[in-house]
Amino acid sequence: RGPAPAGAACARAARSVTVPAASGTLGILPRHQPVAASLTAGRVRLRTPDRPTAELRIGGGFVVVDQDEVTILADDATWVRAR
C-alpha cells in the first residue's frame, strides 16, 4: 500500500490554473467546460487574484474540472518558487 492521502494543499480562488496533462499542457480559465484528465509529473501553476503565480510540483495524478471548481488528485505535491 502507498502512503495515506495528506489532505488539501490549496483551497482558494484562482484566475487560471495550468496543469501538465498527459496530452499536453492544459490551461483552465473560469467557466471552463467540464473535463477529467490524467496528469504527468510537472508543475501546476495557479494565478490567483492576490498573487501573480503560485506553483506546485506534482508527481502525476488526475485533474477534474466541474462547475468552476478544479480538483487535482496528485501522487505527491510540493510548493515551489514560481519562475
Side-chain angles (χ1 to χ4, degrees), residues 42-67:
R43 290 182 184 235
V44 173
R45 290 182 178 85
L46 307 164
R47 288 184 175 79
T48 62
D50 59 334
R51 290 176 44 165
T53 305
E55 291 190 9
L56 280 167
R57 182 178 304 124
I58 64 167
F62 297 93
V63 63
V64 176
V65 180
D66 190 33
Q67 297 186 10

Side-chain angles (χ1 to χ4, degrees), residues 14 19 22 29 37-39:
V19 296
L29 297 171
S38 295
L39 300 176

Side-chain angles (χ1 to χ4, degrees), residues 9-82:
C10 174
R12 64 176 121 175
R15 293 182 303 172
S16 69
V17 179
T18 304
V19 296
S23 60
T25 301
L26 175 62
I28 303 162
L29 297 171
R31 298 188 311 273
H32 194 284
Q33 288 288 94
V35 67
S38 295
L39 300 176
T40 61
R43 290 182 184 235
V44 173
R45 290 182 178 85
L46 307 164
R47 288 184 175 79
T48 62
D50 59 334
R51 290 176 44 165
T53 305
E55 291 190 9
L56 280 167
R57 182 178 304 124
I58 64 167
F62 297 93
V63 63
V64 176
V65 180
D66 190 33
Q67 297 186 10
D68 263 356
E69 187 169 292
V70 179
T71 303
I72 298 171
L73 304 171
D75 296 335
D76 58 71
T78 305
W79 287 106
V80 295
R81 182 170 297 210

